[in-house]
Amino acid sequence: MPALPTPSVTPPDVIRAAYAELIVSDIAASRAFYVGVLGLVVTYEDDDTLYLRAFEEYLHHSLILRRGPVPALAALAYRVRSAGELDAAVAYYEQLGVRVERRAAGATRGVGEAVRIEDPLGFPIEFFYDSEHVERFTRRYDVQGAGAISRLDHFNIVTPDVPAARDYYEGLGFRVSEDIKDDEDVVYAAWMHRKATVHDVALTGGDGPRMHHIAFATHERSQILHLCDHLGALRQSDRIERGPGRHGVSNAFYLYLLDPDGHRIEIYTHDYYTGDPDNPVVTWDVHDNQRRDWWGNPVVPSWYANASTVLDLDGEPVALTHRTEARESEVTIGADGFSYTRKNDAELGFKLGSQV
Amino acid sequence: MPALPTPSVTPPDVIRAAYAELIVSDIAASRAFYVGVLGLVVTYEDDDTLYLRAFEEYLHHSLILRRGPVPALAALAYRVRSAGELDAAVAYYEQLGVRVERRAAGATRGVGEAVRIEDPLGFPIEFFYDSEHVERFTRRYDVQGAGAISRLDHFNIVTPDVPAARDYYEGLGFRVSEDIKDDEDVVYAAWMHRKATVHDVALTGGDGPRMHHIAFATHERSQILHLCDHLGALRQSDRIERGPGRHGVSNAFYLYLLDPDGHRIEIYTHDYYTGDPDNPVVTWDVHDNQRRDWWGNPVVPSWYANASTVLDLDGEPVALTHRTEARESEVTIGADGFSYTRKNDAELGFKLGSQV
Amino acid sequence: MPALPTPSVTPPDVIRAAYAELIVSDIAASRAFYVGVLGLVVTYEDDDTLYLRAFEEYLHHSLILRRGPVPALAALAYRVRSAGELDAAVAYYEQLGVRVERRAAGATRGVGEAVRIEDPLGFPIEFFYDSEHVERFTRRYDVQGAGAISRLDHFNIVTPDVPAARDYYEGLGFRVSEDIKDDEDVVYAAWMHRKATVHDVALTGGDGPRMHHIAFATHERSQILHLCDHLGALRQSDRIERGPGRHGVSNAFYLYLLDPDGHRIEIYTHDYYTGDPDNPVVTWDVHDNQRRDWWGNPVVPSWYANASTVLDLDGEPVALTHRTEARESEVTIGADGFSYTRKNDAELGFKLGSQV
Amino acid sequence: MPALPTPSVTPPDVIRAAYAELIVSDIAASRAFYVGVLGLVVTYEDDDTLYLRAFEEYLHHSLILRRGPVPALAALAYRVRSAGELDAAVAYYEQLGVRVERRAAGATRGVGEAVRIEDPLGFPIEFFYDSEHVERFTRRYDVQGAGAISRLDHFNIVTPDVPAARDYYEGLGFRVSEDIKDDEDVVYAAWMHRKATVHDVALTGGDGPRMHHIAFATHERSQILHLCDHLGALRQSDRIERGPGRHGVSNAFYLYLLDPDGHRIEIYTHDYYTGDPDNPVVTWDVHDNQRRDWWGNPVVPSWYANASTVLDLDGEPVALTHRTEARESEVTIGADGFSYTRKNDAELGFKLGSQV
């Protein structure tokens, strides 16, 4: 990525990752997954769209599913601190030289005036403040099922040059909580936040721009385990791509699911408070076999390989830029890579139940 | 296995799987695992032995670890309903034509008079009733850690001919709760019980006699998850062989660990009541990918391949008999095997995060 | 209670507490509670009856609700080991001199031939073996909600003379697991079992015969906590009579609810294995403030005072016999009673957040 | 409280409630409770002091216990965003006309330069930024017990005039998340936050200044339940003052304990994200019986009545000012008060298991 200009204006004051808009091929199939299994609350639906929210969200939606020809990411939306921040966003991104569009109130149902940009990493990003308030279902245990999801937690995006992406997000006021590196300072991934959790966005090194996953939070692990049991009962266990497990990075208990179009959804709980300015950054060695699963369970190949197409503001797929640095999957798995459980241990290799 | 004679006498009335005696190579290493990680209570220890029990056990021990030259299983002990059943055991096994030894009270610390046999499957089995009572730590939450284990639950043994082994155990009064078969009625495994749970003993088809694992029960899943977190914190995640997950068979939440000698220990919770005579048998298709993990997560190769050596009553390793029927790992994984998530689904294959 | 004759015949071989039949005043209101909140599965329903079962039950029902003029207990049903045990039951109870009725198959929907008696304690008791099998919903996580109930666990009955009632149940093959006494050997309550849990029936000293409660088991505490949250969300928190808490007796995590007619339902988990013949009996001092709640939280007055009317085999309410011995509520609460947290502690009294 | 002057300067930028300093009478007894039961990590200790932290804290301490003649609160410490905020604090409080003291680095072990004030409500408050960093035990599952506490969450203070106290804290940049009122707009309590949770400080109407409690957060409910079980096992159930339960306010799962000096400690989990500027305020009717316990369980009298003495900066107890408005306990309990489960319900009254 070419070096970005340094804007002379203040960036918009982002509060948090707020919602994602995904293109899906079949609304009914998506509804069966997101409402029937994940239990998200329907704020609005028609033949072509679903507006969903988690139980503790009081804004109009946490997720929009829109029927379209190519399963893809249409937008990642960050909420800013006030309506006035939209002007700051326009000024900031105009100086960065990227495409910027103002959107009128209602251009997205339930959302007021907004700004959408194609960010320097190639992602379609929205900033908004005004949103219709709806009932917050925090205490609605009469409608919360065994796998109740509380709120959207973060986005995870694939981008070729992680340090460059980190610089861009630091410019926007995000701070790194954890990252994965090797001894030559190659950065494989970084976790960055505005709200006081481990992340609002994670940067995963790879061919990009692609969307790796979006993540929802639950209160407890039992809710995540129920989602697995539920998918088993529906004979859809193949929607479980990876996990459940405990992350090394973030210390969160996690599960990765695949929606009917292959969009990856993480369910996530138990990360930690990061709101102090001197919050210690945790750096993991890419060869540490507990970095992505604290229990050393393998990262499945598809998790490294697959990610969702990203659309530009015209709805066209964005071409990929290839990662030129080493890839995490290659330096850790198989003949060319290695992992360890204990640093300096004689025995190296990827644990998979003692390959035989 | 040649057909067994049918004894004319009543078999001993077995209550439950009660304890196992394992040979280990290094008592200190075993103590670090069984006491330091699993949190089992030490009833007695010296330089060469450890007598351990789970928190809800009031008999002297649930597990004996004894230092010896070859890591192996020395005995699986079933408790019988009264001391008088020992005579029944002697008579029964003499008619079965296997080696039978009476043991004086105290031959095993904490255990009264007992009978040890080499059973028709080649396993060293003890029957006992009298045992020293010790404090039952049910309510000792001051010493129970986050991964507290309640009781020994079952044994799992590897034997070449599962139907023959099932016949033998049915003769002993055990009943099948679940099994795994294929369309040609090849039986790959069977679960059999005396106490009102899914099993006291599981029969796993393979080269035998070998001990596949012994299993301990917890009250809740959180305790199992803690054991994983704990091993991660100790940088011993490679002791986690498989799981945690939800079994299809038994519906139990499970975790398989490997002790320092490679003996496999399962931690297990949430199975169901089987105490009624007409308890329905659940039969699983060997190709059903949810049979061993309800979430479709893979059974790691070592779990199929490895098991502990079994000793005879002289302490000598018992020679293996090879399984002649199809092997579960071969008919379900890889080029020669197949699995499905949904019966009659077009897409077959072993889920591993969409191999790439 | 006058001394019972000692039958010369073997009692019927009881397996477990199997179902209860309750008279309720309003089927719709009961359905809202038992199905809408507790989530029990409907096996059959019409305008006047509801046949419900827990998720792991494969017999036709765990609970019958029948519309009638007086909310009451119509029957407690124990399952016996085989159909042949019905003759044993008839012979046994005829020798005991109580009313005995044979019921044809189908007299109760889903149940085969049965025997109903008015037992010496005044309760309407059924013995049955044959029952229609229905789908066992053990793995039906698609229909199990956050408060899923696994199975019926036990009955708790109020009877004036606990030692006499214990003798009667011991005659029937039940054994005591725990009891509450004082220093003068007054017995206030006893817990007795056939299946290998703490109880199938609890005997609570008081004016009887009355039904104190019936109890259902869950797998984990989270399911019990959800029932509370759910009732709060429905603005029916006044159905929560006592708990949730941890029992001293049984070590179970518990919750007491009141159905729309005031029938008390316990939700219960985490008790322990009692299946060995020498299972140690735990005796509690009636003054021990942790006996009924391990955390010392108060037993509310209504819990001691209220219980359901019991019907005879003609459907008429059975007259009460008054307890003549000391009552637990009186010897432990208020001016005439005392409790302690630590035996021999200077400070006695009933903890209620340090009364002010 | 007389109207406060309006400072012309910006208040210090508070991040969060960071630590409390309590005076205790017996360090060994306090250690047994805070380390032995609560499991807090000891950063430093000597004969007269204990510096403790929760497992996810990386600053030197979350709690200081100091031996002294009168059990009391010595300081509540808020962390500010940078060292420069200390000057802002001095300027701000000098304009408010209260006592202000600068403290040199190390005046409190592990803390850099700080400012302590006697705030307008009469509380000894510290502002600090610099603090020694220590190991963050987030992933130290080898030392985390079954009741592991993650972090300090909030302070709860008793003050006579809640609206005046709210005005003061709003001046300091805190915002209200929830409050309890009646139809005449009497405010009984308010919850206010800087970090994105329900509160850093709660204002409880009553005679003040007194400290009602300090609260620690866990990840899950199981950890809170274990603390109860643990206290039961130690025969210290009388340290459990109230709960466990689910709050209406905050939706948190809670438990109130009393330390050996009667200081009240809350253990708390499951509240919700409040970080957006338009986070909806939840107002509860003081007569709503689910406001303080969602399950309608009673607030014990001592919880309303008792609170810890507060010291001024000389270490002298601060005289109390009496609340002149209605008291929550009086308008909700007993002959002069009322509560309801359902608004407009015919049946009013305080649920206590149907008083008899």
Side-chain angles (χ1 to χ4, degrees):
Chain A
M1 192 166 90
L4 296 174
T6 303
S8 63
V9 296
T10 306
D13 186 355
V14 170
I15 305 174
R16 59 161 169 134
Y19 77 84
E21 179 176 340
L22 299 180
I23 306 303
V24 299
S25 59
D26 178 337
I27 287 286
S30 293
R31 195 185 199 288
F33 177 73
Y34 287 100
V35 180
V37 178
L38 299 192
L40 292 172
V41 177
V42 178
T43 301
Y44 174 83
E45 63 183 318
D46 58 28
D47 288 352
D48 291 326
T49 52
L50 264 174
Y51 293 76
L52 305 173
R53 66 185 196 276
F55 283 107
E56 295 186 357
E57 186 56 78
Y58 62 92
L59 301 186
H60 187 267
H61 51 259
S62 311
L63 182 66
I64 304 173
L65 304 173
R66 190 180 302 284
R67 192 160 63 86
V70 181
L73 171 71
L76 297 174
Y78 291 111
R79 196 173 195 208
V80 292
R81 194 163 300 278
S82 69
E85 297 294 328
L86 298 186
D87 291 343
V90 169
Y92 186 78
Y93 283 99
E94 285 180 345
Q95 289 201 9
L96 279 179
V98 302
R99 181 173 171 185
V100 177
E101 290 188 0
R102 284 185 180 270
R103 289 163 65 91
T108 297
R109 181 181 292 269
V111 174
E113 287 184 31
V115 170
R116 284 201 177 180
I117 62 157
E118 291 171 2
D119 83 3
L121 312 177
F123 289 88
I125 301 293
E126 176 174 304
F127 300 98
F128 76 101
Y129 173 72
D130 286 322
S131 170
E132 192 179 322
H133 284 206
V134 293
E135 184 185 350
R136 193 176 205 172
F137 274 15
T138 307
R139 294 166 184 86
R140 288 296 302 277
Y141 296 102
D142 52 327
V143 294
Q144 293 185 25
I149 285 173
S150 301
R151 54 180 180 75
L152 185 135
D153 188 79
H154 64 260
F155 310 133
N156 185 310
I157 62 176
V158 186
T159 191
D161 182 341
V162 175
R166 183 189 59 206
D167 288 349
Y168 159 65
Y169 264 106
E170 284 179 346
L172 198 52
F174 287 63
R175 282 176 300 140
V176 172
S177 56
E178 307 204 17
D179 56 16
I180 295 178
K181 294 182 178 175
D182 65 18
D183 289 346
E184 283 78 43
D185 266 342
V186 175
V187 185
Y188 294 86
W191 284 257
M192 304 187 71
H193 68 98
R194 286 290 298 172
K195 73 179 181 305
T197 64
V198 169
H199 54 323
D200 288 284
V201 68
L203 313 172
T204 296
D207 304 340
R210 290 182 298 161
M211 182 195 81
H212 194 272
H213 65 264
I214 61 175
F216 290 92
T218 64
H219 277 296
E220 298 212 344
R221 295 168 298 180
S222 64
Q223 292 146 336
I224 292 178
L225 297 174
H226 177 79
L227 293 174
C228 297
D229 289 338
H230 191 172
L231 285 163
L234 296 174
R235 285 285 161 182
Q236 297 181 13
S237 62
D238 46 357
R239 291 219 183 293
I240 301 173
E241 185 194 35
R242 180 185 158 208
R246 168 82 67 189
H247 282 310
V249 173
S250 82
N251 195 44
F253 192 82
Y254 73 87
L255 172 69
Y256 292 99
L257 302 176
L258 297 174
D259 89 353
D261 288 293
H263 296 309
R264 185 179 290 109
I265 302 294
E266 183 179 15
I267 317 294
Y268 178 97
T269 192
H270 277 207
D271 70 347
Y272 58 89
Y273 171 81
T274 61
D276 283 17
D278 57 353
N279 181 70
V281 174
V282 179
T283 292
W284 297 79
D285 182 350
V286 72
H287 299 295
D288 181 343
N289 196 33
Q290 293 186 189
R291 74 198 180 288
R292 289 206 176 267
D293 186 276
W294 186 241
W295 310 335
N297 282 333
V299 179
V300 294
S302 64
W303 191 92
Y304 279 125
N306 300 342
S308 294
T309 296
V310 160
L311 304 182
D312 65 19
L313 296 189
D314 297 320
E316 296 301 316
V318 179
L320 295 189
T321 300
H322 290 281
R323 176 169 169 90
T324 55
E325 291 180 293
R327 288 160 189 268
E328 185 171 340
S329 60
E330 293 171 358
V331 301
T332 55
I333 304 176
D336 299 330
F338 69 90
S339 292
Y340 59 80
T341 298
R342 290 162 294 275
K343 185 112 194 185
N344 302 321
D345 210 29
E347 191 177 342
L348 299 176
F350 186 61
K351 185 192 90 165
L352 186 62
S354 304
Q355 295 286 356
V356 289
Chain B
M1 193 166 91
L4 296 174
T6 302
S8 64
V9 295
T10 307
D13 185 356
V14 170
I15 307 173
R16 58 159 168 136
Y19 77 84
E21 179 176 341
L22 300 180
I23 306 302
V24 299
S25 59
D26 178 338
I27 288 286
S30 292
R31 195 186 200 286
F33 178 73
Y34 287 100
V35 180
V37 177
L38 298 192
L40 293 172
V41 178
V42 179
T43 301
Y44 173 83
E45 63 184 318
D46 58 28
D47 289 351
D48 291 326
T49 52
L50 264 174
Y51 293 77
L52 304 174
R53 67 187 195 274
F55 283 107
E56 295 186 356
E57 186 56 78
Y58 63 92
L59 301 187
H60 186 267
H61 51 260
S62 312
L63 182 66
I64 303 174
L65 304 173
R66 189 180 304 284
R67 194 159 63 87
V70 180
L73 171 72
L76 297 174
Y78 292 110
R79 196 172 196 209
V80 292
R81 195 164 300 279
S82 69
E85 297 293 328
L86 297 185
D87 291 343
V90 169
Y92 187 78
Y93 283 99
E94 284 180 346
Q95 290 202 6
L96 279 178
V98 302
R99 180 172 172 188
V100 177
E101 289 189 359
R102 285 187 180 269
R103 289 163 65 90
T108 297
R109 181 180 292 268
V111 175
E113 285 185 32
V115 170
R116 283 201 178 181
I117 62 157
E118 290 171 3
D119 82 4
L121 312 177
F123 289 88
I125 302 292
E126 175 173 306
F127 300 97
F128 76 100
Y129 173 73
D130 285 322
S131 171
E132 190 179 322
H133 284 206
V134 293
E135 184 185 351
R136 194 176 205 174
F137 275 13
T138 307
R139 297 167 182 86
R140 289 294 302 276
Y141 297 102
D142 52 327
V143 293
Q144 292 186 25
I149 285 172
S150 302
R151 54 180 181 75
L152 185 134
D153 188 79
H154 64 261
F155 309 134
N156 185 308
I157 61 176
V158 186
T159 190
D161 183 340
V162 176
R166 184 190 56 205
D167 288 348
Y168 159 64
Y169 265 107
E170 283 178 347
L172 198 51
F174 287 62
R175 283 177 299 140
V176 171
S177 56
E178 307 203 15
D179 56 15
I180 296 178
K181 295 183 178 174
D182 64 20
D183 289 346
E184 283 77 45
D185 265 341
V186 175
V187 184
Y188 294 87
W191 284 257
M192 303 187 73
H193 68 98
R194 286 291 298 173
K195 72 178 181 305
T197 63
V198 169
H199 54 323
D200 288 284
V201 68
L203 313 173
T204 297
D207 304 342
R210 291 181 298 160
M211 181 196 80
H212 193 272
H213 65 263
I214 61 175
F216 290 92
T218 64
H219 277 296
E220 298 213 341
R221 295 169 297 179
S222 64
Q223 291 145 338
I224 292 179
L225 297 174
H226 177 79
L227 293 174
C228 297
D229 289 337
H230 192 172
L231 285 164
L234 296 174
R235 286 284 161 183
Q236 296 181 14
S237 61
D238 46 357
R239 290 220 185 290
I240 301 172
E241 184 194 36
R242 180 184 158 207
R246 168 82 67 189
H247 282 310
V249 173
S250 82
N251 196 43
F253 192 83
Y254 73 88
L255 171 69
Y256 292 99
L257 302 176
L258 297 175
D259 89 351
D261 288 293
H263 295 310
R264 186 180 290 109
I265 302 295
E266 182 179 17
I267 317 294
Y268 176 99
T269 193
H270 277 205
D271 69 348
Y272 59 89
Y273 172 80
T274 62
D276 283 16
D278 57 353
N279 182 70
V281 174
V282 180
T283 291
W284 297 80
D285 182 349
V286 72
H287 299 295
D288 182 344
N289 196 33
Q290 294 186 188
R291 75 198 179 288
R292 288 206 177 267
D293 185 278
W294 187 241
W295 311 334
N297 283 333
V299 179
V300 295
S302 64
W303 190 92
Y304 279 125
N306 300 341
S308 295
T309 296
V310 160
L311 303 183
D312 64 21
L313 296 188
D314 297 320
E316 295 301 316
V318 181
L320 296 189
T321 300
H322 291 279
R323 176 169 170 89
T324 55
E325 291 180 292
R327 289 161 188 267
E328 184 171 341
S329 60
E330 292 171 358
V331 301
T332 55
I333 304 176
D336 300 329
F338 70 91
S339 291
Y340 59 79
T341 298
R342 288 163 294 274
K343 185 113 195 183
N344 302 322
D345 210 29
E347 191 177 343
L348 298 177
F350 187 60
K351 187 193 88 164
L352 186 63
S354 304
Q355 295 285 357
V356 290
Chain C
M1 194 165 91
L4 297 173
T6 302
S8 63
V9 296
T10 307
D13 185 356
V14 170
I15 306 173
R16 59 160 168 135
Y19 77 84
E21 179 176 341
L22 300 179
I23 307 301
V24 299
S25 59
D26 178 338
I27 287 286
S30 293
R31 195 185 200 286
F33 178 73
Y34 287 100
V35 180
V37 177
L38 299 192
L40 292 172
V41 178
V42 179
T43 301
Y44 174 83
E45 63 184 318
D46 59 27
D47 287 352
D48 291 325
T49 52
L50 263 174
Y51 293 76
L52 304 174
R53 66 187 196 273
F55 283 108
E56 296 186 354
E57 186 56 77
Y58 62 92
L59 301 186
H60 186 267
H61 50 260
S62 312
L63 182 67
I64 302 173
L65 303 173
R66 188 180 305 282
R67 193 159 63 86
V70 179
L73 171 72
L76 297 173
Y78 292 111
R79 195 172 196 208
V80 292
R81 195 165 300 279
S82 70
E85 297 294 328
L86 298 185
D87 290 343
V90 169
Y92 186 77
Y93 283 99
E94 284 179 346
Q95 290 203 8
L96 279 178
V98 302
R99 180 172 172 187
V100 177
E101 291 189 0
R102 286 186 180 270
R103 289 162 66 91
T108 297
R109 180 179 293 269
V111 175
E113 286 184 31
V115 170
R116 282 201 178 180
I117 62 156
E118 291 171 3
D119 81 4
L121 311 177
F123 290 88
I125 302 292
E126 176 172 306
F127 300 98
F128 76 100
Y129 173 74
D130 286 323
S131 171
E132 191 179 322
H133 284 208
V134 293
E135 184 184 350
R136 193 176 206 173
F137 274 14
T138 307
R139 296 167 181 86
R140 288 296 302 277
Y141 297 102
D142 52 327
V143 294
Q144 291 185 25
I149 284 172
S150 302
R151 54 181 181 74
L152 184 134
D153 188 79
H154 64 261
F155 310 133
N156 185 309
I157 61 176
V158 186
T159 191
D161 183 340
V162 175
R166 184 189 57 205
D167 288 348
Y168 160 65
Y169 265 107
E170 284 177 346
L172 198 52
F174 289 62
R175 282 177 299 140
V176 171
S177 56
E178 308 203 15
D179 56 15
I180 295 178
K181 294 183 178 172
D182 65 18
D183 289 346
E184 283 78 44
D185 266 341
V186 175
V187 185
Y188 295 87
W191 284 256
M192 304 187 72
H193 68 98
R194 287 290 299 173
K195 72 179 181 305
T197 63
V198 169
H199 54 324
D200 288 284
V201 69
L203 313 173
T204 296
D207 303 342
R210 291 181 299 159
M211 180 195 82
H212 193 272
H213 65 264
I214 61 174
F216 290 92
T218 64
H219 277 296
E220 297 212 344
R221 296 168 297 180
S222 65
Q223 291 145 339
I224 292 178
L225 297 174
H226 177 78
L227 293 174
C228 297
D229 289 337
H230 191 173
L231 285 164
L234 296 175
R235 286 284 160 182
Q236 296 181 13
S237 62
D238 46 357
R239 289 218 186 293
I240 301 172
E241 184 195 37
R242 181 185 157 206
R246 167 83 66 189
H247 282 310
V249 173
S250 82
N251 196 42
F253 192 82
Y254 73 88
L255 172 69
Y256 292 99
L257 302 176
L258 297 174
D259 89 351
D261 287 293
H263 296 309
R264 186 179 290 110
I265 302 295
E266 182 180 16
I267 317 294
Y268 177 97
T269 192
H270 277 207
D271 70 348
Y272 58 89
Y273 172 80
T274 61
D276 283 18
D278 58 353
N279 183 69
V281 174
V282 180
T283 291
W284 298 79
D285 181 350
V286 72
H287 299 295
D288 181 344
N289 196 31
Q290 294 186 187
R291 75 198 180 288
R292 290 208 176 263
D293 186 277
W294 186 242
W295 310 335
N297 283 333
V299 178
V300 295
S302 63
W303 191 91
Y304 279 125
N306 300 341
S308 295
T309 296
V310 161
L311 304 183
D312 64 20
L313 296 188
D314 296 319
E316 296 301 316
V318 180
L320 296 189
T321 301
H322 290 280
R323 176 169 170 89
T324 55
E325 291 180 292
R327 290 162 189 265
E328 184 171 340
S329 60
E330 292 171 358
V331 301
T332 55
I333 303 176
D336 299 330
F338 68 91
S339 292
Y340 59 80
T341 298
R342 290 162 295 275
K343 185 113 194 182
N344 302 322
D345 211 29
E347 191 176 344
L348 299 176
F350 187 60
K351 186 192 90 166
L352 186 62
S354 305
Q355 295 285 355
V356 290
Chain D
M1 192 166 92
L4 295 173
T6 303
S8 63
V9 296
T10 307
D13 185 356
V14 169
I15 305 173
R16 59 160 169 136
Y19 78 84
E21 180 175 340
L22 300 179
I23 306 303
V24 299
S25 59
D26 178 337
I27 288 286
S30 293
R31 194 184 200 286
F33 178 73
Y34 287 100
V35 180
V37 178
L38 299 192
L40 292 172
V41 177
V42 178
T43 302
Y44 174 83
E45 63 183 318
D46 59 28
D47 288 353
D48 291 326
T49 52
L50 264 174
Y51 293 77
L52 305 173
R53 66 186 196 274
F55 283 108
E56 296 187 355
E57 186 57 77
Y58 62 92
L59 301 186
H60 186 268
H61 51 260
S62 311
L63 182 65
I64 303 174
L65 303 173
R66 190 180 302 284
R67 192 159 64 86
V70 180
L73 171 71
L76 297 174
Y78 291 111
R79 195 172 196 209
V80 292
R81 193 163 301 279
S82 69
E85 297 294 327
L86 297 186
D87 290 344
V90 170
Y92 186 78
Y93 283 98
E94 285 180 346
Q95 290 202 8
L96 279 178
V98 302
R99 181 172 171 185
V100 177
E101 290 189 0
R102 285 186 180 268
R103 289 163 65 92
T108 297
R109 181 180 292 269
V111 174
E113 287 185 28
V115 170
R116 284 201 177 181
I117 62 156
E118 291 171 1
D119 82 2
L121 312 176
F123 288 88
I125 302 292
E126 176 173 304
F127 301 97
F128 76 101
Y129 173 73
D130 286 322
S131 170
E132 192 179 321
H133 284 207
V134 294
E135 184 184 350
R136 193 177 206 172
F137 274 14
T138 307
R139 296 167 182 86
R140 288 296 301 277
Y141 296 102
D142 52 328
V143 293
Q144 293 185 24
I149 284 173
S150 302
R151 54 180 180 74
L152 185 135
D153 188 79
H154 64 259
F155 309 133
N156 185 310
I157 62 176
V158 185
T159 191
D161 182 341
V162 175
R166 182 188 59 205
D167 288 347
Y168 159 65
Y169 264 108
E170 284 179 345
L172 198 52
F174 288 63
R175 282 177 300 139
V176 172
S177 57
E178 307 204 15
D179 56 15
I180 296 177
K181 294 182 178 174
D182 65 18
D183 289 345
E184 282 77 44
D185 266 342
V186 175
V187 184
Y188 294 86
W191 285 257
M192 304 187 72
H193 69 98
R194 286 290 299 173
K195 73 179 181 305
T197 63
V198 169
H199 55 322
D200 289 283
V201 68
L203 313 173
T204 296
D207 304 342
R210 291 182 299 160
M211 182 195 81
H212 193 272
H213 65 263
I214 61 174
F216 290 92
T218 64
H219 277 297
E220 298 211 344
R221 295 169 297 180
S222 65
Q223 292 146 338
I224 292 178
L225 298 174
H226 176 78
L227 293 174
C228 297
D229 289 338
H230 191 172
L231 285 163
L234 296 174
R235 285 284 160 182
Q236 297 181 12
S237 62
D238 46 357
R239 289 217 185 295
I240 301 172
E241 185 195 35
R242 180 184 157 206
R246 168 81 68 189
H247 282 310
V249 173
S250 82
N251 195 43
F253 192 82
Y254 73 87
L255 172 69
Y256 293 98
L257 303 176
L258 297 175
D259 88 353
D261 288 294
H263 296 308
R264 186 180 290 109
I265 302 294
E266 182 180 15
I267 318 293
Y268 178 98
T269 192
H270 276 206
D271 69 348
Y272 58 88
Y273 172 80
T274 62
D276 284 17
D278 58 352
N279 182 70
V281 175
V282 179
T283 291
W284 297 79
D285 181 351
V286 72
H287 299 294
D288 181 344
N289 196 32
Q290 294 185 188
R291 73 197 182 289
R292 290 207 175 265
D293 186 277
W294 186 242
W295 310 336
N297 282 333
V299 179
V300 294
S302 65
W303 191 91
Y304 280 125
N306 300 342
S308 295
T309 295
V310 160
L311 304 183
D312 65 20
L313 296 189
D314 296 321
E316 295 301 316
V318 180
L320 296 188
T321 300
H322 289 281
R323 176 170 170 89
T324 55
E325 291 181 293
R327 290 161 188 268
E328 184 171 341
S329 60
E330 293 171 358
V331 301
T332 55
I333 304 175
D336 300 329
F338 69 91
S339 292
Y340 59 79
T341 298
R342 290 163 293 276
K343 185 113 194 183
N344 302 321
D345 211 27
E347 191 177 343
L348 299 177
F350 187 61
K351 186 192 89 166
L352 187 63
S354 304
Q355 295 286 356
V356 288

